[in-house]
Amino acid sequence: MKRVLGILVVMILVLSVFAGPNHLVIFHMNDTHGHVWGTEDGGGFARAATLINQAREEVAKEGGAVLFLHAGDVNTGIPESDQLDAVPDFLALHYMGLDAMVLGNHEFDKPFEVLEKQYEVAQFPFLGANFVDEKRGGPVFEPYVIKDYGDFSVGIIGLVTEQTKVLEPIYLGENTIVNAEETLKKYLPIVQEKADVVIVLAHLGYHADGGRPNLSVEFTTSDELAENVPGVDIIIDGHSHTLLETPVVINNVIVAQAGENAENIGRIDLWIDDGRIVDWRGEVIPLKSDIPEDPFIKMFTDAFYQLGSEALNEVVGVTKVYLDGERAHVRSDETNLSNLIADGMIWKTGADVALMNGGGIRAPIEAGEITYRDILTVLPFGNTLYVLELTGKDIMDVLNYAATIPDGQGAKLHVAGLTAEMKGGKATNVKINGKPIDLNKTYKVVTNNYVAAGGDGYTMLEGKPGYDTYFRDADALREYIAHLGTIEDYTSEERLIELDQVK
């Protein structure tokens, strides 16, 4: 008997020596922005769930594991989600078995109490090592999480974009976002002690191919992080909505990002032997319509979709022309929809001038009946109209900043009641309601509470005298469209005439 036991022990030892590497599959999504529900063309969480569950079954047979991560910006984009504070999104991700997410800048679109509610609903870690309480200096949520898979462990450090301080400053309160690279250097040795594989789950943005935003804050990008900080194995990124069809390798760091709006899911397969990655492959999988939807995820998310649909489908007006709110267009040029929105802000408040940021316009409106759903899709953030008392000089400060903003940025300015020529990073020939601007005169200016609080870099407005009307921007647009009735046509005239292009 002892001889048999001895042989078995030897066999086990031999098998352990020749056992193959451990297989870990990482699924990742980012910038889903309320797109829980797919369409006939594909996309959506239920299709993603099908692929994740299939992989769990397959990998489990070989003793491997699946890790599911979200790189931030769950919030804001689809009315059915926005009205319910993204509860459908976080519940779906919970039931899909999400292991962790990093906070995106749009997680700060609403009061902090909403984020706390989302955390309770989600029941998975919200990571943000550099999202800190200014008073006590420590992270507000978890800085990192360790996943133990027996033969190996994985450490995941969450990093939030410093751009949040400009893009979504209103609800940060006594919290702030500190330097991502310095924070990573602080936590990396701690996590390396506890884990074999180190992943940075980042909402920073990938800009190795150019197009770096011009903002009034220093910020870190994922490609910079890979270049500057040794010791990281993988960066799962978000924020720039970049579709890296296969991950890129920078300074031996695998960098991945999967586009936007739950149109795709990223997959990275790792083979880990003795605590080291010995092989890997990565891809982004389009969530095409031929991928079946997971019945459970579809069932309960469809139930959420029905909530409030009757009100969302209310017809408020008709347009005979396409109202252009395409992301690329409103971040580079004035369009008929941006002019319509700005004009409606003046109509609602009686202001002299309206200021609207292009990043606040999130969708176009097709020709035909206009529903409240359409309007909430265009203006999903729940911002309110904010009236400021600005001198002509104050307005010039705004315009001179706007003249420095290159195409493609959410800070691109749209106006009503005002015209100007933009050249060489300066505004000239400025007129308000057809008259030359008076630098000493005080004007009534309406914007949204986001911009009024210094959002998108308009810090010169922060603290200026004024008041919140508490009119939601979407409701003001709905009333203005109802007032117009049928839109036969609408002007796309340039009100801020670019005499040269800022590059």
Side-chain angles (χ1 to χ4, degrees), residues 391-403 458 460 464:
T391 65
K393 182 182 180 304
D394 293 333
I395 294 172
M396 288 301 303
D397 290 340
V398 171
L399 295 175
N400 286 330
Y401 167 68
Y458 289 94
M460 70 292 295
K464 294 294 183 184

Side-chain angles (χ1 to χ4, degrees), residues 131-211:
F131 173 49
V132 301
D133 183 320
E134 287 190 286
K135 284 188 175 180
R136 62 182 180 87
V140 178
F141 290 99
E142 296 172 73
Y144 64 87
V145 64
I146 306 295
K147 303 291 291 185
D148 188 352
Y149 295 103
D151 292 336
F152 66 95
S153 57
V154 177
I156 306 157
I157 305 171
L159 294 174
V160 186
T161 179
E162 302 99 331
Q163 295 180 32
T164 306
K165 293 190 289 186
V166 169
L167 299 175
E168 271 76 29
I170 298 172
Y171 298 119
L172 284 177
E174 295 181 347
N175 304 318
T176 191
I177 315 290
V178 298
N179 184 271
E181 184 173 320
E182 292 176 4
T183 302
L184 177 58
K185 290 176 179 176
K186 172 184 174 181
Y187 283 101
L188 186 56
I190 299 171
V191 174
Q192 285 175 320
E193 283 289 319
K194 300 179 179 182
D196 301 299
V197 176
V198 177
I199 297 174
V200 171
L201 186 57
H203 194 81
L204 299 179
Y206 176 83
H207 293 288
D209 52 358

Side-chain angles (χ1 to χ4, degrees), residues 165-169 214-217 330 354-360 388 390 394-406 409-415 422 445 447-464 496:
K165 293 190 289 186
V166 169
L167 299 175
E168 271 76 29
N214 176 27
L215 294 172
S216 59
V217 65
V330 297
L355 307 174
M356 179 67 194
N357 59 317
L388 296 164
L390 300 182
D394 293 333
I395 294 172
M396 288 301 303
D397 290 340
V398 171
L399 295 175
N400 286 330
Y401 167 68
T404 69
I405 298 166
Q409 303 307 314
K412 201 72 175 180
L413 190 63
H414 302 266
V415 300
M422 315 291 260
V445 178
T447 185
N448 56 55
N449 61 326
Y450 167 76
V451 172
D456 268 338
Y458 289 94
T459 54
M460 70 292 295
L461 296 178
E462 190 175 2
K464 294 294 183 184
L496 300 178

Side-chain angles (χ1 to χ4, degrees), residues 7 270 309 457:
I7 292 171
L270 302 180
S309 282

Side-chain angles (χ1 to χ4, degrees), residues 354-399:
L355 307 174
M356 179 67 194
N357 59 317
I361 304 170
R362 307 300 281 196
I365 297 177
E366 300 288 344
E369 292 182 337
I370 303 172
T371 65
Y372 188 36
R373 183 193 306 277
D374 295 326
I375 292 170
L376 287 171
T377 305
V378 173
L379 299 172
F381 296 108
N383 290 331
T384 53
L385 300 188
Y386 201 100
V387 174
L388 296 164
E389 294 179 4
L390 300 182
T391 65
K393 182 182 180 304
D394 293 333
I395 294 172
M396 288 301 303
D397 290 340
V398 171
L399 295 175

